[in-house]
Amino acid sequence: MAEALILGPADPAYADTVRALNRRFTGKPDEVHRVYDTGQVVAAVARAVRTGRRIAVRGGGHCYEGFVADPEVSLLLDPSGLASVEWDAARGAFAIGAGATLGAVYRALFKNWGVTVPGGSCHSVGVGGHFTGGGYGVLSRRHGLTVDHLHAVEVVVVGADGQVRAVVATDDPADPHHDLWWAHTGGGGGTFGVVTRFWLRSGGTSPETALPAPPAEVWLHAVTWPWASLDRDGFDRLLDNFGSWHERHAASDDPYAGLAAALLVPTRAAAGISLRTTMDATAPDAEQLLRAFVAEVGAGVTPAGPMTRDSGKIAALPEAAAPRRLRWQWANQLAAGSDLGLRAKYKSAFLRRGFTPAQRAAIRASLEYAHPDAQLQLDSFGGAINDVAPEATAYPHRDSVLKAQWQVYWADPADDDRHLAWIRSSYRAVFADRGGVPVADAQLDGCYVNYPDVDLSDPDWNTSATSWTELYFGANYARLQQVKAHWDPTDTFRHAQSVRLP
Ligand SMILES: Cc1cc2nc3c(=O)[nH]c(=O)nc-3n(C[C@H](O)[C@H](O)[C@H](O)COP(=O)(O)OP(=O)(O)OC[C@H]3O[C@@H](n4cnc5c(N)ncnc54)[C@H](O)[C@@H]3O)c2cc1C
């Protein structure tokens, strides 16, 4: 076992570890501890407690906000040395080191055992943040969220007396640590302790059956409706068709459970609105179903053309205007993503129904913005995600049919104010009648904790009576606070939107 590596600002590897993917955020810790086993994590946390240092953990560095890069953090834990993906025969589950990235997990699970987890598409996302916040991807309508496959977690925690220890918490309701497991099914990263290992299992007790198998092949399809061909009515129809289709096909036994689509709605400075679809090619009549879906989304709108790299930099995918059939592992890698060194800001909303006419009008108005790398992305939701009760996991959003994500990317820090102003005002306008945020009601259901947004805690931007805690966690917040009080009574693990002590 390698010795823990302690890096300071003079070490060449330091800069890469303290810098987040989102270039708005770079930390300044005195020490970075690169750790390779649980004992080293216990030692590093004990050192932080003993010396009164604020601590944070970095997983894949993909956090949307600057939680890890907080200037008050002086000891940063980097568990990238704890990244193995193994079959643990004793637990009958896959043991995944908390420093692994999604891409490494997908490769190891599929190559060795033919199975997968229904996680996100970006391969450099870390499991440390992703698994603790929910973990959604193109297989989620078929197989639920990643947390729906979480069997156990090992967490390094700090007691009221300052003692540091590692505990294993499982999904067994008889486990005295069960609540700590539950808090890791959507309570978000950086709140209860340092996760060192996740165990995943949802099926049988052999490695080939413990997790779902991905479809052997999928259809990929991507088209764009150019702005030049979209009048006001065409814009409204696209959004309305996409929303109503998802309302009608949200059941997990629907023939379309194997379909996941993203409607990418960029500003008018990009080429047009794109529809990117993945469909399980092994499902009965898959190709016909896919073609019918694309036709329904585009019904009443000028026919779409091929999606090209000009369709907006962030929307780029290889052309697939005619459906292309690919093996799962290749399709999965196409969307793997890369670090373009950009600054970014994001916002989210869950939708139980499609957008209202007033919301569509607000979205349309916000797209008159002379910057091509800004968009609203609408993702397919529902299916197996909604078969789980909202209180069964800490992640509560179990009856939405769409997930909406506003995004803006830029390179020059001098442009921060203008792009932040754009995304803030665009979002506020859509939810103008609810205090600027997607307060839960018959149509909306709050925000995704894995897409954190500090504006939700800012009274200037959230003028509703609904706090950020309720937007992320709904009725589950009270139980999360109890878990926090029990397992992190000194609030050692905290950030701008971590679960608060009761
Ligand atoms: C390009 C991109 C694509 C994405 N795609 C998807 C997607 O398809 N689906 C989806 O659901 N989400 C997606 N996300 C969101 C992603 O799930 C979250 O940003 C996630 O929190 C990132 O985890 P990380 O470990 O990479 O980030 P980090 O910034 O390293 O960590 C995020 C938070 O988790 C904490 N944390 C990390 N490791 C640990 C640990 N071991 N123990 C305790 N706390 C820890 C950190 O302290 C921090 O608070 C995407 C994000 C990006 C940037």
Side-chain angles (χ1 to χ4, degrees), residues 21 57 59-64 120-122 126 128-130 136 189-190 193 195 448 450:
L21 176 82
V57 198
H62 281 48
C63 190
Y64 284 179
S121 46
C122 176
H130 189 68
Y136 157 89
V195 181
Y448 185 22
N450 257 351

Side-chain angles (χ1 to χ4, degrees), residues 105-119:
V105 171
Y106 294 146
R107 272 191 302 280
L109 289 179
F110 186 75
K111 283 196 164 186
N112 295 314
W113 300 284
V115 296
T116 195
V117 284

Side-chain angles (χ1 to χ4, degrees), residues 137-381:
V138 294
L139 297 180
S140 288
R141 271 167 59 91
R142 175 83 82 200
H143 298 297
L145 299 173
T146 307
V147 288
D148 300 332
H149 304 266
L150 185 68
H151 164 59
V153 272
E154 181 181 67
V155 194
V156 172
V157 291
V158 181
D161 56 1
Q163 288 300 307
V164 182
R165 66 192 172 114
V167 291
V168 174
T170 73
D171 58 359
D172 178 356
D175 178 356
H177 304 154
H178 182 69
D179 260 9
L180 187 61
W181 165 83
W182 179 84
H184 284 88
T185 59
T191 276
F192 305 100
V194 184
V195 181
T196 45
R197 191 168 293 133
F198 298 93
W199 283 271
L200 298 181
R201 177 183 80 206
S202 51
T205 49
S206 72
E208 292 79 13
T209 58
L211 287 173
E217 292 182 317
V218 290
W219 288 107
L220 281 192
H221 186 248
V223 286
T224 298
W225 289 270
W227 279 123
S229 72
L230 274 179
D231 60 10
R232 191 184 171 122
D233 181 57
F235 175 89
D236 277 2
R237 273 174 193 253
L238 274 183
L239 264 68
D240 195 33
N241 290 347
F242 194 71
S244 63
W245 187 93
H246 282 86
E247 290 168 22
R248 282 180 280 115
H249 295 280
S252 58
D253 60 357
D254 191 274
Y256 278 107
L259 178 141
L263 191 70
L264 309 169
V265 188
T267 64
R268 294 182 71 95
I273 298 184
S274 298
L275 177 67
R276 202 170 62 193
T277 312
T278 305
M279 172 83 190
D280 177 353
T282 65
D285 299 326
E287 189 182 356
Q288 288 91 319
L289 287 173
L290 168 62
R291 288 183 187 276
F293 164 73
V294 177
E296 276 189 64
V297 173
V301 187
T302 325
M307 182 175 178
T308 65
R309 295 219 170 259
D310 297 332
S311 305
K313 289 185 190 111
I314 49 179
L317 240 205
E319 274 181 41
R324 286 208 192 154
R325 193 174 174 131
L326 288 183
R327 293 198 64 73
W328 163 254
Q329 65 270 37
W330 298 118
N332 184 28
Q333 279 172 31
L334 277 179
S338 53
D339 182 350
L340 300 174
L342 296 175
R343 306 165 82 78
K345 174 72 185 167
Y346 311 80
K347 288 171 177 289
S348 70
F350 287 106
L351 280 86
R352 292 175 160 136
R353 304 185 62 79
F355 286 116
T356 64
Q359 290 166 345
R360 287 199 303 264
I363 293 167
R364 206 174 51 236
S366 74
L367 299 175
E368 304 288 341
Y369 186 53
H371 179 67
D373 291 335
Q375 70 174 357
L376 166 63
Q377 173 167 345
L378 287 174
D379 282 302
S380 298
F381 227 69

